[in-house]
Structure formats: structure tokens, C-alpha cells
Amino acid sequence: DGGITQSPKYLFRKEGQNVTLSCEQNLNHDAMYWYRQDPGQGLRLIYYSQIVNDFQKGDIAEGYSVSREKKESFPLTVTSAQKNPTAFYLCASSPNGANQPQHFGDGTRLSIL
Amino acid sequence: GESVGLHLPTLSVQEGDNSIINCAYSNSASDYFIWYKQESGKGPQFIIDIRSNMDKRQGQRVTVLLNKTVKHLSLQIAATQPGDSAVYFCAENPDKLIFGTGTRLQVFP
């Protein structure tokens, strides 16, 4: 079945450590997105990519980095510069073009040790 | 499970009744709207979308109504079932998706 796979489901980070969250899709979607979800808040956009080898900062990109070397993959690195990384991270993808719904993975919960 | 949203508005309905979840959007330039359902520990699941040239759109057991005059969107769920219990949120798209904070739907027998 086509879909978006995020791994791991739970991740723990030590102080000063970088961690990378995986997102893979087999929907043949051009666009991919990373969001952060905190309790009581709407999803906030971290980074997005509309095509391979290109990506743009979202609203809260500081302390995060991404790469888009392959159409299927859009990994997110949470760096040590992100001082409040504890959150639920969601990856999404969509076809390019206006007014297309985004389809989400089941998220990665990141916590600080 | 995940705490998708603490202190969210909550709608409690009896199984079999109809549910109406409301959403006020902010940008008058938004021309596309989506409703998502999010169960605990999972990612949001697409339910239904509507474009601004429509006032109403129906799916299976769900109807979305759009009132552009007052910038209001609603999701109606017919014959609500226990499996409908989740957090529901709307998203608007002026140029990129903007997500609301959500409403928790609780279905009791």
C-alpha cells in the first residue's frame, strides 16, 4: 500500500546531540513537509520541499536542517541548537500544484533525556 | 498515546447522533480548506476538502459547509460512531496550509 513511513516512532535525545528523523513516501509525491505539533497548538511548518535538491524554510526552521536527495526521502535533523525539541514531529507529502491535500505519516515523538 | 492536544475544546455526543464541528478561519484570501481527523498516537488523516467556489461538499457520512462571508467552516458527521472519537482540525490554504488547533470529539454510548 502507498503511504508515508516515519521512523522511529519514539526517539530520545541527549543534551548537545543531533538526531535525525526519517520520512519515506512511496506515493510519488513531489512535495514533502515537516511539521511540529505541541499540545494545544496547531501544526507548525518547519521545512518543506517542492522538488528534489530544493527545500525552503518554514515558520520555525531555527535549530533544524533537512535534505532532499531523493524524491522518496526527506529526513529532518534536530540539532543541538534547538533548545526545546520535545514535540511530536509529523511528515507529510502532496502532489505539486495548487489546492492539494497533504497526507501524513504517523509521527515521531522526540523527548529529551 | 500521544497528547495531541491538551485543553482543546471538546464536543461530547451520543452514539448515533449527528456531530457538528466548527472552525473559524483567518485569511479571506484562502481558497482551499481541508478537514483532518487525528487519533491518539497517529498522524492526521484526510477526511474531506472544499474549494472556495463551493458552499457545501458531501462525503461518506460527512458534510463540509463553507461560509465565506463570515469565514466559517463546519464539519458535520452523521450517525456518529465510537470510532469517530478523535481530534478534528481544519486547515486553510491562502498559499500554504495553515492549521487550526482542533476540537476533540468524544462519543459516548
Side-chain angles (χ1 to χ4, degrees):
Chain A
D1 288 349
I4 301 174
T5 301
Q6 291 188 242
S7 62
K9 188 166 179 64
Y10 299 97
L11 187 58
F12 299 91
R13 194 190 91 169
K14 295 179 181 178
E15 293 289 340
Q17 186 181 45
N18 294 352
V19 291
T20 298
L21 285 60
S22 170
C23 178
E24 303 277 332
Q25 55 99 358
N26 61 4
L27 299 167
N28 200 34
H29 286 168
D30 288 309
M32 296 186 74
Y33 311 82
W34 274 106
Y35 293 92
R36 170 179 173 139
Q37 187 174 39
D38 294 283
Q41 297 190 36
L43 276 64
R44 292 184 290 167
L45 182 64
I46 304 172
Y47 268 98
Y48 64 101
S49 167
Q50 293 180 306
I51 197 168
V52 173
N53 292 323
D54 187 54
F55 49 82
Q56 309 295 329
K57 291 182 179 180
D59 301 318
I60 55 164
E62 186 175 351
Y64 301 97
S65 65
V66 293
S67 62
R68 186 86 186 277
E69 297 177 1
K70 299 187 297 182
K71 186 175 185 178
E72 312 81 57
S73 179
F74 191 40
L76 173 75
T77 296
V78 184
T79 74
S80 57
Q82 172 50 244
K83 298 307 178 188
N84 184 24
T86 297
F88 191 47
Y89 290 88
L90 288 160
C91 178
S93 71
S94 72
N96 256 335
N99 300 338
Q100 299 283 350
Q102 293 179 18
H103 299 271
F104 287 83
D106 276 340
T108 293
R109 176 73 183 178
L110 176 63
S111 301
I112 299 300
L113 288 177
Chain B
E2 299 297 335
S3 296
V4 169
L6 299 178
H7 312 299
L8 289 177
T10 299
L11 175 66
S12 296
V13 299
Q14 190 164 25
E15 183 178 355
D17 286 353
N18 296 335
S19 302
I20 300 176
I21 300 170
N22 296 306
C23 176
Y25 65 92
S26 56
N27 194 325
S28 57
S30 295
D31 59 1
Y32 178 61
F33 306 86
I34 308 174
W35 277 102
Y36 286 97
K37 171 187 180 183
Q38 188 174 22
E39 297 175 275
S40 183
K42 295 190 175 181
Q45 176 186 0
F46 171 83
I47 301 174
I48 191 168
D49 58 3
I50 188 168
R51 287 167 173 73
S52 59
N53 60 351
M54 302 173 70
D55 297 323
K56 179 180 179 179
R57 190 169 187 217
Q58 288 184 292
Q60 186 177 14
R61 276 202 312 121
V62 295
T63 300
V64 55
L65 298 177
L66 175 61
N67 185 330
K68 295 180 286 295
T69 303
V70 295
K71 292 190 286 187
H72 183 268
L73 196 66
S74 68
L75 177 70
Q76 300 178 1
I77 304 174
T80 312
Q81 303 168 359
D84 295 327
S85 295
V87 174
Y88 291 81
F89 54 90
C90 64
E92 60 179 301
N93 189 6
D95 55 355
K96 64 177 189 237
L97 278 183
I98 302 171
F99 294 85
T101 54
T103 297
R104 186 182 308 280
L105 176 64
Q106 294 180 333
V107 182
F108 58 92

